[in-house]
Coordinates of all heavy atoms in Angstrom, one line a residue:
M1 N -29.1 175.0 98.4 CA -29.1 175.0 97.0 C -27.7 174.7 96.5 O -26.7 175.2 96.9 CB -29.5 176.5 96.6 CG -29.7 176.6 95.1 SD -30.6 178.1 94.7 CE -29.2 179.3 94.7
C2 N -27.7 173.8 95.5 CA -26.4 173.4 94.8 C -25.9 174.5 93.9 O -26.7 175.3 93.4 CB -26.7 172.2 94.0 SG -27.2 170.8 95.0
P3 N -24.6 174.6 93.7 CA -24.0 175.7 92.9 C -24.6 175.7 91.5 O -24.7 176.8 90.9 CB -22.6 175.3 92.8 CG -22.3 174.5 94.0 CD -23.6 173.7 94.3
A4 N -25.0 174.6 90.9 CA -25.5 174.6 89.5 C -27.0 175.0 89.4 O -27.6 175.1 88.4 CB -25.4 173.2 88.9
E5 N -27.7 175.2 90.6 CA -29.1 175.6 90.6 C -29.2 177.1 90.6 O -28.4 177.8 91.1 CB -29.8 175.0 91.8 CG -29.9 173.5 91.9 CD -30.6 173.1 93.2 OE1 -30.4 173.7 94.2 OE2 -31.3 172.1 93.1
Q6 N -30.3 177.6 90.1 CA -30.7 179.0 90.1 C -32.1 179.1 90.7 O -32.9 178.2 90.5 CB -30.6 179.6 88.8 CG -31.5 179.1 87.7 CD -31.4 179.8 86.4 OE1 -30.7 180.8 86.3 NE2 -32.1 179.3 85.4
L7 N -32.4 180.2 91.3 CA -33.8 180.5 91.8 C -34.6 181.1 90.7 O -34.2 182.0 90.0 CB -33.7 181.4 93.0 CG -33.3 180.7 94.3 CD1 -33.3 181.8 95.4 CD2 -34.1 179.5 94.7
V8 N -35.8 180.6 90.6 CA -36.8 181.1 89.7 C -38.1 181.4 90.4 O -38.5 180.6 91.3 CB -37.1 180.1 88.5 CG1 -38.2 180.6 87.7 CG2 -35.9 179.8 87.7
E9 N -38.7 182.6 90.2 CA -39.9 183.0 90.9 C -41.1 182.6 90.0 O -41.1 182.9 88.8 CB -40.0 184.5 91.1 CG -38.9 184.9 92.1 CD -39.0 186.4 92.4 OE1 -39.4 187.2 91.5 OE2 -38.5 186.8 93.5
L10 N -42.1 181.9 90.6 CA -43.4 181.7 89.9 C -44.3 182.8 90.3 O -44.5 183.0 91.5 CB -43.9 180.3 90.3 CG -45.3 180.0 89.7 CD1 -45.3 180.0 88.2 CD2 -45.8 178.7 90.2
R11 N -44.7 183.6 89.3 CA -45.6 184.7 89.6 C -47.0 184.5 89.1 O -47.2 183.8 88.1 CB -45.0 186.0 89.0 CG -43.7 186.4 89.6 CD -43.2 187.7 88.9 NE -42.0 188.1 89.5 CZ -41.9 189.0 90.5 NH1 -43.1 189.6 90.9 NH2 -40.8 189.4 91.1
L12 N -48.0 185.1 89.7 CA -49.3 185.1 89.3 C -49.4 185.7 87.9 O -49.1 186.8 87.7 CB -50.3 185.8 90.2 CG -51.8 185.7 89.9 CD1 -52.3 184.3 89.9 CD2 -52.5 186.6 90.8
P13 N -49.9 184.9 86.9 CA -50.0 185.5 85.6 C -51.1 186.6 85.5 O -51.9 186.7 86.4 CB -50.4 184.3 84.7 CG -51.0 183.3 85.6 CD -50.4 183.6 87.0
E14 N -51.0 187.4 84.5 CA -52.0 188.4 84.2 C -53.4 187.7 84.0 O -53.4 186.7 83.3 CB -51.7 189.2 82.9 CG -52.4 190.4 82.7 CD -52.1 191.5 83.8 OE1 -51.0 191.6 84.2 OE2 -53.1 192.2 84.2
L15 N -54.4 188.2 84.7 CA -55.7 187.5 84.6 C -56.4 188.0 83.3 O -56.2 189.1 82.8 CB -56.5 187.9 85.8 CG -55.9 187.5 87.1 CD1 -56.7 188.0 88.3 CD2 -55.8 186.0 87.2
P16 N -57.2 187.1 82.7 CA -57.9 187.5 81.5 C -58.7 188.8 81.7 O -59.4 189.0 82.7 CB -58.9 186.3 81.3 CG -58.3 185.2 82.1 CD -57.6 185.8 83.2
G17 N -58.6 189.6 80.7 CA -59.3 190.9 80.7 C -60.8 190.7 80.9 O -61.5 191.6 81.5
C18 N -61.3 189.6 80.3 CA -62.8 189.4 80.4 C -63.3 189.2 81.8 O -64.4 189.5 82.1 CB -63.2 188.2 79.5 SG -62.5 186.7 80.1
W19 N -62.4 188.9 82.8 CA -62.8 188.7 84.2 C -63.3 190.0 84.7 O -64.2 190.0 85.5 CB -61.6 188.2 85.0 CG -61.3 186.7 84.8 CD1 -61.6 185.9 83.8 CD2 -60.8 185.9 85.8 NE1 -61.2 184.7 84.0 CE2 -60.7 184.6 85.2 CE3 -60.2 186.1 87.1 CZ2 -60.1 183.5 85.9 CZ3 -59.7 185.0 87.7 CH2 -59.7 183.7 87.2
D20 N -62.7 191.1 84.3 CA -63.1 192.4 84.8 C -64.4 192.9 84.1 O -65.1 193.8 84.7 CB -62.0 193.4 84.7 CG -60.8 193.1 85.6 OD1 -61.0 192.5 86.7 OD2 -59.7 193.4 85.2
T21 N -64.6 192.5 82.9 CA -65.7 193.1 82.2 C -67.0 192.4 82.2 O -68.1 193.0 82.4 CB -65.3 193.3 80.7 OG1 -64.9 192.1 80.2 CG2 -64.2 194.3 80.6
C22 N -67.0 191.0 82.1 CA -68.3 190.3 82.0 C -68.8 189.8 83.4 O -69.9 189.7 83.6 CB -68.2 189.2 81.0 SG -67.6 187.7 81.6
G23 N -67.8 189.4 84.2 CA -68.2 188.9 85.5 C -68.8 187.5 85.5 O -69.2 187.0 86.6
A24 N -68.9 186.8 84.4 CA -69.5 185.5 84.3 C -68.6 184.4 85.0 O -69.1 183.5 85.6 CB -69.7 185.1 82.9
C25 N -67.3 184.6 84.8 CA -66.3 183.6 85.4 C -65.9 184.0 86.8 O -65.8 183.2 87.7 CB -65.1 183.5 84.6 SG -65.4 182.8 83.0
A26 N -65.6 185.3 87.0 CA -65.1 185.8 88.2 C -65.4 187.3 88.4 O -65.5 188.0 87.4 CB -63.6 185.6 88.2
S27 N -65.4 187.7 89.6 CA -65.5 189.1 89.9 C -64.8 189.3 91.2 O -64.9 188.5 92.1 CB -66.9 189.6 89.9 OG -67.7 188.9 90.8
G28 N -64.3 190.5 91.4 CA -63.7 190.8 92.7 C -62.4 190.1 93.0 O -61.5 190.1 92.1
E29 N -62.2 189.6 94.1 CA -60.9 189.1 94.6 C -60.5 187.7 94.0 O -61.3 186.9 93.8 CB -60.9 189.0 96.1 CG -61.2 190.3 96.8 CD -61.2 190.1 98.3 OE1 -61.5 189.0 98.8 OE2 -61.0 191.1 99.0
V30 N -59.2 187.6 93.8 CA -58.6 186.3 93.5 C -57.8 185.8 94.7 O -57.0 186.6 95.2 CB -57.7 186.4 92.3 CG1 -57.0 185.1 92.0 CG2 -58.4 186.9 91.0
R31 N -58.2 184.7 95.2 CA -57.6 184.2 96.5 C -56.9 182.8 96.3 O -57.2 182.1 95.3 CB -58.7 183.9 97.5 CG -59.4 185.2 97.9 CD -60.6 184.8 98.9 NE -61.5 183.9 98.3 CZ -62.5 184.2 97.4 NH1 -62.6 185.4 97.0 NH2 -63.3 183.3 97.0
V32 N -55.9 182.6 97.1 CA -55.3 181.2 97.1 C -56.2 180.3 97.8 O -56.6 180.5 99.0 CB -53.9 181.3 97.9 CG1 -53.3 179.9 98.0 CG2 -53.0 182.2 97.3
G33 N -56.7 179.3 97.1 CA -57.6 178.3 97.6 C -56.9 177.2 98.3 O -57.2 176.8 99.4
E34 N -55.8 176.7 97.7 CA -55.1 175.5 98.3 C -53.7 175.5 97.7 O -53.4 175.8 96.5 CB -55.8 174.2 97.9 CG -55.2 173.0 98.4 CD -56.0 171.7 98.0 OE1 -56.9 171.8 97.2 OE2 -55.5 170.6 98.4
L35 N -52.7 175.2 98.6 CA -51.3 175.0 98.1 C -51.2 173.5 97.9 O -51.5 172.7 98.8 CB -50.3 175.4 99.2 CG -50.3 176.9 99.5 CD1 -49.5 177.2 100.7 CD2 -49.9 177.7 98.3
L36 N -50.7 173.1 96.7 CA -50.6 171.7 96.4 C -49.2 171.2 96.6 O -48.9 170.0 96.3 CB -51.0 171.5 94.9 CG -52.4 172.0 94.6 CD1 -52.7 171.9 93.1 CD2 -53.4 171.3 95.4
V37 N -48.2 172.0 97.0 CA -46.8 171.6 97.2 C -46.4 172.2 98.5 O -47.0 173.1 99.1 CB -45.9 172.1 96.1 CG1 -46.3 171.4 94.7 CG2 -46.0 173.6 95.9
A38 N -45.2 171.7 99.0 CA -44.6 172.2 100.2 C -43.1 172.4 99.9 O -42.6 171.9 98.9 CB -44.7 171.1 101.3
V39 N -42.5 173.2 100.8 CA -41.1 173.4 100.7 C -40.3 172.1 100.7 O -40.6 171.2 101.5 CB -40.6 174.3 101.8 CG1 -39.0 174.4 101.8 CG2 -41.2 175.7 101.7
G40 N -39.4 171.9 99.7 CA -38.7 170.7 99.6 C -39.2 169.8 98.5 O -38.5 168.9 98.0
D41 N -40.5 170.0 98.1 CA -41.1 169.1 97.1 C -40.4 169.4 95.7 O -40.1 170.5 95.4 CB -42.6 169.4 96.9 CG -43.4 168.9 98.1 OD1 -42.9 168.2 98.9 OD2 -44.6 169.2 98.1
R42 N -40.3 168.3 94.9 CA -39.8 168.4 93.5 C -41.1 168.5 92.7 O -42.0 167.8 92.9 CB -39.0 167.3 93.1 CG -37.6 167.3 93.9 CD -36.5 166.7 93.2 NE -36.2 167.2 91.9 CZ -35.4 168.3 91.6 NH1 -34.9 168.9 92.6 NH2 -35.1 168.7 90.4
V43 N -41.1 169.4 91.7 CA -42.2 169.6 90.8 C -41.8 169.4 89.4 O -40.6 169.8 89.0 CB -43.0 170.9 91.0 CG1 -43.5 171.0 92.4 CG2 -42.0 172.1 90.8
A44 N -42.7 168.9 88.6 CA -42.4 168.8 87.1 C -43.0 170.1 86.4 O -43.9 170.7 86.9 CB -43.1 167.6 86.6
R45 N -42.5 170.3 85.3 CA -43.0 171.4 84.5 C -44.5 171.1 84.2 O -44.9 170.0 83.9 CB -42.3 171.6 83.2 CG -42.8 172.7 82.3 CD -42.0 172.9 81.1 NE -42.5 174.1 80.4 CZ -42.2 174.5 79.2 NH1 -41.3 173.8 78.6 NH2 -42.7 175.5 78.7
D46 N -45.3 172.1 84.3 CA -46.8 172.1 84.1 C -47.5 171.4 85.2 O -48.8 171.2 85.1 CB -47.1 171.5 82.7 CG -46.6 172.3 81.6 OD1 -46.6 173.5 81.7 OD2 -46.2 171.7 80.6
Q47 N -46.9 170.9 86.3 CA -47.6 170.3 87.4 C -48.3 171.4 88.2 O -47.7 172.5 88.5 CB -46.5 169.7 88.3 CG -47.1 169.1 89.6 CD -46.1 168.5 90.5 OE1 -45.0 168.1 90.1 NE2 -46.4 168.5 91.8
P48 N -49.6 171.2 88.5 CA -50.3 172.2 89.3 C -49.6 172.4 90.7 O -49.3 171.4 91.4 CB -51.7 171.7 89.5 CG -51.8 170.7 88.3 CD -50.5 170.2 88.1
V49 N -49.4 173.6 91.1 CA -48.7 173.9 92.4 C -49.6 174.6 93.4 O -49.4 174.6 94.6 CB -47.4 174.7 92.2 CG1 -46.4 173.8 91.5 CG2 -47.6 176.0 91.5
L50 N -50.6 175.3 92.9 CA -51.6 175.9 93.8 C -52.9 176.1 93.0 O -53.0 176.0 91.8 CB -51.1 177.2 94.4 CG -50.8 178.4 93.6 CD1 -52.0 179.3 93.4 CD2 -49.7 179.1 94.2
V51 N -54.0 176.3 93.8 CA -55.3 176.6 93.3 C -55.7 178.0 93.6 O -55.7 178.4 94.8 CB -56.3 175.5 93.8 CG1 -57.7 175.8 93.3 CG2 -55.9 174.1 93.5
L52 N -56.2 178.7 92.6 CA -56.8 180.0 92.8 C -58.3 179.9 92.8 O -58.8 179.1 92.1 CB -56.3 181.0 91.7 CG -54.9 181.3 91.6 CD1 -54.6 182.3 90.5 CD2 -54.3 181.8 92.9
E53 N -58.9 180.8 93.6 CA -60.4 180.8 93.6 C -60.9 182.2 93.5 O -60.2 183.2 94.0 CB -60.9 180.2 95.0 CG -60.5 178.8 95.2 CD -61.0 178.3 96.5 OE1 -61.4 179.1 97.4 OE2 -60.9 177.0 96.7
T54 N -62.0 182.4 92.9 CA -62.8 183.6 93.0 C -64.2 183.2 93.4 O -64.4 182.1 93.8 CB -62.9 184.3 91.6 OG1 -63.7 183.5 90.8 CG2 -61.5 184.5 91.0
D55 N -65.1 184.2 93.4 CA -66.5 183.8 93.8 C -67.1 182.8 92.9 O -68.0 182.1 93.3 CB -67.3 185.1 93.8 CG -66.9 186.0 95.0 OD1 -66.3 185.6 95.9 OD2 -67.2 187.2 94.9
K56 N -66.6 182.7 91.6 CA -67.3 181.9 90.7 C -66.4 180.9 89.9 O -67.0 180.1 89.1 CB -68.0 182.8 89.6 CG -69.0 183.7 90.2 CD -69.6 184.5 89.1 CE -70.7 185.4 89.7 NZ -71.4 186.2 88.7
T57 N -65.2 180.9 90.2 CA -64.3 179.9 89.4 C -63.1 179.5 90.2 O -62.8 180.1 91.2 CB -63.8 180.5 88.1 OG1 -63.3 179.5 87.3 CG2 -62.8 181.6 88.3
V58 N -62.5 178.3 89.8 CA -61.4 177.8 90.4 C -60.4 177.5 89.3 O -60.7 177.1 88.2 CB -61.7 176.4 91.1 CG1 -60.4 175.8 91.7 CG2 -62.7 176.7 92.2
L59 N -59.1 177.8 89.5 CA -58.1 177.7 88.5 C -56.8 177.2 89.1 O -56.3 177.7 90.0 CB -57.8 179.1 87.9 CG -56.7 179.3 86.8 CD1 -57.2 178.6 85.6 CD2 -56.5 180.8 86.6
D60 N -56.3 176.1 88.5 CA -55.0 175.5 88.8 C -53.9 176.3 88.2 O -54.0 176.7 87.0 CB -54.8 174.1 88.3 CG -55.7 173.1 89.1 OD1 -56.1 173.4 90.2 OD2 -55.9 172.0 88.6
I61 N -52.8 176.6 89.0 CA -51.7 177.3 88.5 C -50.5 176.3 88.4 O -50.1 175.8 89.4 CB -51.3 178.5 89.4 CG1 -52.4 179.5 89.5 CG2 -50.0 179.2 88.9 CD1 -52.7 180.2 88.2
P62 N -50.0 176.1 87.2 CA -48.9 175.1 87.0 C -47.5 175.8 87.2 O -47.3 177.0 87.0 CB -49.1 174.7 85.6 CG -49.6 175.9 84.9 CD -50.5 176.6 85.9
A63 N -46.6 174.9 87.5 CA -45.1 175.3 87.5 C -44.7 175.5 86.1 O -45.0 174.7 85.2 CB -44.3 174.2 88.2
E64 N -44.0 176.6 85.9 CA -43.5 176.9 84.5 C -42.2 176.2 84.2 O -41.9 176.0 83.0 CB -43.2 178.4 84.4 CG -44.5 179.3 84.5 CD -44.2 180.7 84.6 OE1 -43.0 181.2 84.6 OE2 -45.2 181.5 84.6
R65 N -41.6 175.7 85.2 CA -40.3 174.9 85.1 C -40.3 173.8 86.1 O -41.0 173.9 87.1 CB -39.1 175.8 85.2 CG -39.1 176.9 84.1 CD -37.9 177.7 84.2 NE -36.6 177.0 84.0 CZ -35.4 177.6 84.1 NH1 -35.3 178.9 84.4 NH2 -34.3 176.9 83.9
A66 N -39.5 172.8 85.8 CA -39.3 171.7 86.8 C -38.3 172.2 87.9 O -37.4 173.0 87.5 CB -38.8 170.5 86.2
G67 N -38.4 171.8 89.1 CA -37.4 172.2 90.1 C -37.9 171.8 91.5 O -38.8 171.0 91.6
R68 N -37.2 172.3 92.5 CA -37.5 172.0 93.9 C -38.0 173.3 94.6 O -37.4 174.4 94.4 CB -36.2 171.5 94.6 CG -36.4 171.2 96.0 CD -35.0 170.6 96.6 NE -33.9 171.4 96.2 CZ -33.5 172.5 96.9 NH1 -34.2 173.0 97.9 NH2 -32.4 173.2 96.5
V69 N -39.1 173.2 95.3 CA -39.7 174.3 96.0 C -38.8 174.7 97.1 O -38.5 173.9 98.0 CB -41.1 174.0 96.5 CG1 -41.7 175.2 97.2 CG2 -42.1 173.5 95.3
V70 N -38.4 175.9 97.1 CA -37.5 176.4 98.2 C -38.2 177.5 99.1 O -37.8 177.7 100.2 CB -36.2 177.0 97.7 CG1 -35.3 175.9 97.1 CG2 -36.3 178.1 96.8
E71 N -39.3 178.1 98.6 CA -40.0 179.0 99.4 C -41.5 179.2 98.9 O -41.7 179.3 97.7 CB -39.3 180.4 99.3 CG -40.0 181.4 100.2 CD -39.3 182.8 100.1 OE1 -38.4 183.0 99.3 OE2 -39.8 183.7 100.9
L72 N -42.4 179.1 99.8 CA -43.8 179.5 99.5 C -44.0 180.9 99.9 O -43.7 181.3 101.0 CB -44.8 178.5 100.2 CG -44.7 177.0 99.8 CD1 -45.5 176.2 100.7 CD2 -45.1 176.8 98.4
C73 N -44.5 181.7 99.0 CA -44.6 183.2 99.3 C -46.1 183.6 99.5 O -46.3 184.8 99.8 CB -44.1 183.9 98.1 SG -42.4 183.5 97.7
V74 N -47.0 182.7 99.5 CA -48.4 183.0 99.8 C -49.0 181.9 100.7 O -48.5 180.8 100.8 CB -49.3 183.1 98.5 CG1 -48.8 184.2 97.6 CG2 -49.2 181.8 97.7
D75 N -50.1 182.3 101.3 CA -50.8 181.4 102.2 C -52.2 181.2 101.7 O -52.8 182.0 101.1 CB -50.9 181.9 103.7 CG -49.5 182.1 104.3 OD1 -48.7 181.1 104.2 OD2 -49.2 183.2 104.9
P76 N -52.8 180.0 102.1 CA -54.2 179.8 101.7 C -55.1 181.0 102.2 O -54.9 181.5 103.4 CB -54.6 178.5 102.4 CG -53.3 177.8 102.5 CD -52.3 178.9 102.8
G77 N -56.0 181.5 101.4 CA -56.8 182.6 101.7 C -56.3 184.0 101.4 O -57.0 185.0 101.4
A78 N -55.0 184.0 101.0 CA -54.4 185.3 100.7 C -55.0 185.9 99.4 O -55.3 185.1 98.5 CB -52.9 185.2 100.5
V79 N -55.3 187.2 99.4 CA -55.8 187.9 98.2 C -54.6 188.3 97.3 O -53.7 188.9 97.8 CB -56.7 189.1 98.6 CG1 -57.1 189.8 97.4 CG2 -57.9 188.6 99.4
L80 N -54.7 188.0 96.0 CA -53.6 188.2 95.2 C -53.9 189.2 94.1 O -55.0 189.4 93.7 CB -53.2 186.8 94.5 CG -52.9 185.7 95.4 CD1 -52.6 184.4 94.6 CD2 -51.8 186.0 96.4
S81 N -52.8 189.7 93.5 CA -52.9 190.6 92.3 C -51.9 190.0 91.3 O -50.9 189.4 91.6 CB -52.7 192.0 92.6 OG -51.4 192.2 93.2
A82 N -52.2 190.3 90.0 CA -51.3 189.9 88.9 C -49.8 190.3 89.2 O -49.6 191.4 89.6 CB -51.8 190.4 87.6
G83 N -48.9 189.4 89.0 CA -47.5 189.7 89.1 C -46.9 189.3 90.5 O -45.7 189.3 90.6
C84 N -47.7 189.1 91.5 CA -47.2 188.8 92.8 C -46.5 187.4 92.8 O -46.8 186.5 92.0 CB -48.2 188.8 93.9 SG -49.4 187.5 93.9
V85 N -45.4 187.3 93.6 CA -44.7 186.0 93.7 C -45.4 185.0 94.4 O -45.9 185.2 95.6 CB -43.3 186.3 94.3 CG1 -42.5 185.0 94.4 CG2 -42.5 187.3 93.5
L86 N -45.6 183.8 93.8 CA -46.3 182.7 94.5 C -45.4 181.8 95.2 O -45.6 181.4 96.3 CB -47.1 181.9 93.4 CG -48.1 182.8 92.6 CD1 -48.7 181.9 91.5 CD2 -49.2 183.3 93.5
L87 N -44.3 181.4 94.5 CA -43.3 180.6 95.1 C -42.0 180.7 94.4 O -41.9 181.3 93.3 CB -43.7 179.1 95.2 CG -44.1 178.4 93.9 CD1 -42.9 177.9 93.2 CD2 -45.0 177.2 94.2
R88 N -40.9 180.2 95.0 CA -39.6 180.2 94.4 C -39.1 178.7 94.2 O -39.3 177.9 95.1 CB -38.6 181.0 95.2 CG -38.9 182.5 95.2 CD -37.8 183.3 95.9 NE -38.1 184.7 95.8 CZ -38.9 185.4 96.6 NH1 -39.5 184.8 97.6 NH2 -39.1 186.7 96.4
L89 N -38.6 178.5 93.0 CA -38.1 177.1 92.7 C -36.6 177.2 92.5 O -36.1 178.2 91.9 CB -38.7 176.6 91.4 CG -40.1 176.3 91.3 CD1 -40.5 175.9 89.9 CD2 -40.4 175.1 92.3
A90 N -35.8 176.2 93.0 CA -34.5 176.0 92.6 C -34.5 175.1 91.4 O -35.0 174.0 91.4 CB -33.7 175.3 93.7
V91 N -34.0 175.6 90.3 CA -34.0 174.8 89.0 C -32.5 174.6 88.5 O -31.6 175.4 88.9 CB -34.8 175.5 87.9 CG1 -36.2 175.6 88.3 CG2 -34.2 176.8 87.5
D92 N -32.3 173.5 87.8 CA -31.0 173.3 87.2 C -30.6 174.4 86.2 O -31.5 174.7 85.4 CB -30.9 171.9 86.6 CG -31.0 170.8 87.6 OD1 -30.6 171.0 88.8 OD2 -31.5 169.7 87.2
G93 N -29.4 174.9 86.4 CA -29.0 176.0 85.5 C -29.0 175.6 84.1 O -29.3 176.3 83.2

């Protein structure tokens, strides 16, 4: 990591409240379906970096900032909860 870079964690956002109540889109577990990036990859802001899956829906999770992937914190198939760290990016300060 260069001195001008800082580490930023991409976390799983809070899931819509309706997911728990209606069950039309999703119910039960939220899992990592696919990682779309690897350590060392450069990503743009809003670029999808991983895919989440439930029994009924698929959701792309975008990078909140541009940067370089320095650590993947989840594996395909992992069951997630809101707030967990998905990956770490080195971004320009």
Side-chain angles (χ1 to χ4, degrees):
M1 188 166 79
C2 297
E5 293 179 324
Q6 64 179 355
L7 284 182
V8 173
E9 295 179 336
L10 176 63
R11 294 179 175 268
L12 180 64
E14 192 68 36
L15 301 173
C18 64
W19 282 27
D20 292 329
T21 57
C22 83
C25 298
S27 59
E29 299 178 338
V30 176
R31 297 174 303 282
V32 177
E34 182 180 2
L35 296 171
L36 303 176
V37 295
V39 171
D41 287 354
R42 293 210 56 86
V43 297
R45 182 177 182 186
D46 296 327
Q47 175 182 338
V49 294
L50 62 93
V51 177
L52 296 182
E53 297 178 349
T54 70
D55 292 338
K56 298 181 180 182
T57 193
V58 175
L59 178 67
D60 288 342
I61 299 296
E64 295 171 357
R65 296 183 61 184
R68 181 178 44 84
V69 178
V70 295
E71 183 180 6
L72 296 171
C73 302
V74 296
D75 295 313
V79 175
L80 306 178
S81 57
C84 71
V85 178
L86 303 172
L87 58 82
R88 290 184 176 87
L89 292 175
V91 298
D92 293 331

